[in-house]
Amino acid sequence: MSDYKEVLQKNGVISFTPGGISMWPIISNRADTVIIKPVEGRLKKYDVAFYTRPSGQYVLHRVMRVNPDSYDMCGDSQTAVEKAVPAQAVFGIMEGYYKNKKYIDCNKNFFYKLFVRFWSCSVFWRRCLIKGLSILGIRAK
């Protein structure tokens, strides 16, 4: 597979269907398609960043805190915050995504913005909600 960073720099946009459940319920495993554009300037809290870990692994997670030269990140279905992700490791930002063939613009969709703020308000409450959903048999797909 091509290097995402190189393709993004060359084309100015990439789209792909992520694998994994770390961004559920916003992004479903191997079902939704994300649209990534290059980072221009600093990210803001609640942006979804596309970055690489030192191991070379690509990650799509939400910005939970903006630090002077790094970000604290967390997947939407995760409860542990990854602290101090270097700003230079981030090369893309999710502009939107397709869910069930419907495009959701991360910058313009009111319900997306509202949900993200509610969902991200507290990792503790998210842990409780995910546990409750699990008990009801509702799991990440």
Side-chain angles (χ1 to χ4, degrees):
M1 179 179 286
S2 298
D3 179 66
Y4 287 116
K5 190 174 184 177
E6 289 177 16
V7 174
L8 183 59
Q9 288 173 345
K10 180 181 176 187
N11 298 334
V13 66
I14 56 173
S15 65
F16 61 93
T17 302
I21 61 167
S22 71
M23 286 303 290
W24 182 85
I26 296 293
I27 305 297
S28 296
N29 180 32
R30 301 197 190 284
D32 301 328
T33 301
V34 297
I35 309 300
I36 307 291
K37 293 201 174 170
V39 172
E40 295 177 7
R42 295 284 287 162
L43 299 180
K44 300 180 301 288
K45 185 175 181 177
Y46 306 124
D47 284 343
V48 176
F50 193 39
Y51 63 98
T52 54
R53 289 188 172 133
S55 66
Q57 177 187 22
Y58 290 103
V59 182
L60 189 67
H61 279 172
R62 189 168 309 283
V63 175
M64 301 301 285
R65 175 177 286 153
V66 177
N67 304 312
D69 58 352
S70 66
Y71 302 100
D72 293 350
M73 307 281 198
C74 190
D76 286 349
S77 70
Q78 297 181 324
T79 56
V81 176
E82 184 177 358
K83 296 192 179 276
V85 173
Q88 60 268 27
V90 179
F91 62 91
I93 181 172
M94 187 172 82
E95 289 289 314
Y97 61 99
Y98 287 91
K99 182 173 273 309
N100 300 322
K101 299 183 182 179
K102 181 181 178 190
Y103 181 70
I104 308 297
D105 187 314
C106 295
N107 298 309
K108 296 179 182 175
N109 188 289
F110 173 77
F111 295 106
Y112 168 82
K113 288 180 173 184
L114 184 67
F115 180 80
V116 164
R117 277 149 183 80
F118 163 75
W119 191 254
S120 300
C121 68
S122 170
V123 174
F124 170 76
W125 290 114
R126 182 186 309 171
R127 185 179 301 128
C128 294
L129 184 58
I130 289 171
K131 182 67 172 173
L133 290 172
S134 177
I135 290 169
L136 294 173
I138 301 170
R139 298 178 193 252
K141 300 176 188 173

